[in-house]
Amino acid sequence: MDREPDVVLGALLRGGRAFLVRRNPAKRANPDIWDLPGGCIEHGESELEALSRELHEELGVHIDTSSAAHLYRLTTGRSDAPAIASAWAVREWRGEPRNYAPEEHTDVGWFEIDALPTPAHPQMRAAFLAGMGALDS
């Protein structure tokens, strides 16, 4: 049975780099790791509506949803409490991304696509790079 995603993530992309956030060490899920920004999809929201809201709340940017391309959908989290994560590449937005959610993230920054930090789940890197490759073809 296919489930709708619980979490949506966004990769702001520019000049061969992706913008990542470092999760707060106090977070219950995936503490103190570099990750794509995003969050939970609220009832009644589409993935892109949630992505737009989350990236505005966390980074202060307004994404152009027409520039978003789906990268991957994976089951993540603990086996007794899995979550479905859906990631999108975003190439157009207004505003300069900054950390507007210090309770969520301790740091933010741009990373070369081929030198991304280790993600929380090993399959995320492979899925991200495969998705990026599909966008470039």
Side-chain angles (χ1 to χ4, degrees), residues 20-66:
L20 302 180
V21 295
R22 186 170 187 99
R23 293 178 56 82
N24 192 310
K27 297 294 285 180
R28 184 178 57 83
N30 306 318
D32 201 30
I33 61 145
W34 286 97
D35 201 0
L36 294 173
C40 294
I41 298 173
E42 295 179 358
H43 180 72
E45 280 184 320
S46 71
E47 287 186 49
L48 288 177
E49 288 168 339
L51 183 64
S52 182
R53 177 185 52 75
E54 286 286 344
L55 295 186
H56 182 256
E57 289 172 359
E58 294 184 6
L59 306 179
V61 298
H62 297 276
I63 67 168
D64 176 354
T65 56
S66 69

Side-chain angles (χ1 to χ4, degrees), residues 28-119:
R28 184 178 57 83
N30 306 318
D32 201 30
I33 61 145
W34 286 97
D35 201 0
L36 294 173
C40 294
I41 298 173
E42 295 179 358
H43 180 72
E45 280 184 320
S46 71
E47 287 186 49
L48 288 177
E49 288 168 339
L51 183 64
S52 182
R53 177 185 52 75
E54 286 286 344
L55 295 186
H56 182 256
E57 289 172 359
E58 294 184 6
L59 306 179
V61 298
H62 297 276
I63 67 168
D64 176 354
T65 56
S66 69
S67 79
H70 197 251
L71 288 172
Y72 64 80
R73 182 169 287 140
L74 293 172
T75 300
T76 65
R78 301 185 332 247
S79 60
D80 63 335
I84 307 280
S86 182
W88 293 78
V90 179
R91 296 188 187 274
E92 300 293 330
W93 64 88
R94 290 185 327 275
E96 187 61 34
R98 299 191 193 310
N99 187 5
Y100 283 91
E103 69 286 353
E104 300 275 334
H105 316 119
T106 57
D107 201 1
V108 297
W110 290 99
F111 291 85
E112 297 292 327
I113 299 289
D114 57 359
L116 295 173
T118 303

